[in-house]
């Protein structure tokens, strides 16, 4: 599977940058992640998602949203809230979330 | 080496989210990256840096800055500009850069 970047978005839009430290593959993590991706992909205003993890290092994921109401709808989704609780109780050593409003973006493709 | 998250930043601040697709370890990439980290760490307003790459997948790095002038100083740095040129000519298949102003952030630590 060739990975694809989220590209060509027209500002303004929002980035939700989630950085975390967690074990490689904790129980239930992959299934929950797949379900979360399914839910967020169906939300109005969701523009895309990317994720990377260095083995033994940190994980960074970025979700792109058109506006704050769509971001808030994702934050308030009940299944998402349950997953976040489980994440804090079982999966993550630590995480940070940074919500940014993007006014400038650039892209390059060979 | 235990990785550390950039955490505890007080909004407002800026995130420069750089996502890319590139070969594992192209020639000159690691040395240039180390030099870039040295330069950016010395700039006023630089708050931190994180990076992750899934083997065979995408890379995401996030640099945190206090304000737009500090971000612009980094963009305009001559060595950084030369590195970006080389990146486009030699290293990257594609990349995107998203500059966001962060008004909200959250953290969790076990």
């Amino acid at each position: 599977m060739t990975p694809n970047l989220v590209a060509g978005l027209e500002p303004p839009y929002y980035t939700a940058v989630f950085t975390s430290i967690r074990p490689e593959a904790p129980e239930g993590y992959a299934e929950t992640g797949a379900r979360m991706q399914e839910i967020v992909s169906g939300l109005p205003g969701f523009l895309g998602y990317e994720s990377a993890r260095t083995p033994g290092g940190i994980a960074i994921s970025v979700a792109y949203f058109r506006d704050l109401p769509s971001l808030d709808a994702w934050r308030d989704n009940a299944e998402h809230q349950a997953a976040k609780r489980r994440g804090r109780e079982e999966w993550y050593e630590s995480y940070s979330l940074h919500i940014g409003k993007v006014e400038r973006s650039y892209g390059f493709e060979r």
Side-chain angles (χ1 to χ4, degrees), chain A residues 4-16 45-50 62-67 70 100-109:
Chain A
N4 274 302
L5 298 183
V6 174
L9 301 180
E10 200 66 41
Y13 54 90
Y14 286 80
T15 45
F46 173 75
L47 302 175
Y49 176 81
E50 292 159 334
V62 186
Y64 301 84
F65 292 91
R66 178 49 64 199
D67 50 32
S70 54
K101 181 180 186 179
V102 176
E103 301 275 10
R104 294 194 212 164
S105 62
Y106 310 91
F108 164 78
E109 195 147 355

Side-chain angles (χ1 to χ4, degrees), chain A residues 24 53-58:
Chain A
E24 177 71 32
R53 181 172 182 272
T54 300
I58 75 168

Side-chain angles (χ1 to χ4, degrees), chain A residues 17-20 49-54 58-62:
Chain A
V17 176
F18 183 80
T19 64
S20 64
Y49 176 81
E50 292 159 334
S51 147
R53 181 172 182 272
T54 300
I58 75 168
I60 304 178
S61 65
V62 186

Side-chain angles (χ1 to χ4, degrees), chain A residues 70-81:
Chain A
S70 54
L71 224 157
D72 290 346
W74 173 229
R75 179 194 62 194
D76 297 340
N77 176 275
E79 273 190 76
H80 185 205
Q81 291 198 327

Side-chain angles (χ1 to χ4, degrees), chain A residues 23-38:
Chain A
E24 177 71 32
E27 201 204 318
Y29 181 84
E31 296 82 345
T32 302
R35 174 65 184 144
M36 291 305 108
Q37 224 166 320
E38 190 182 346

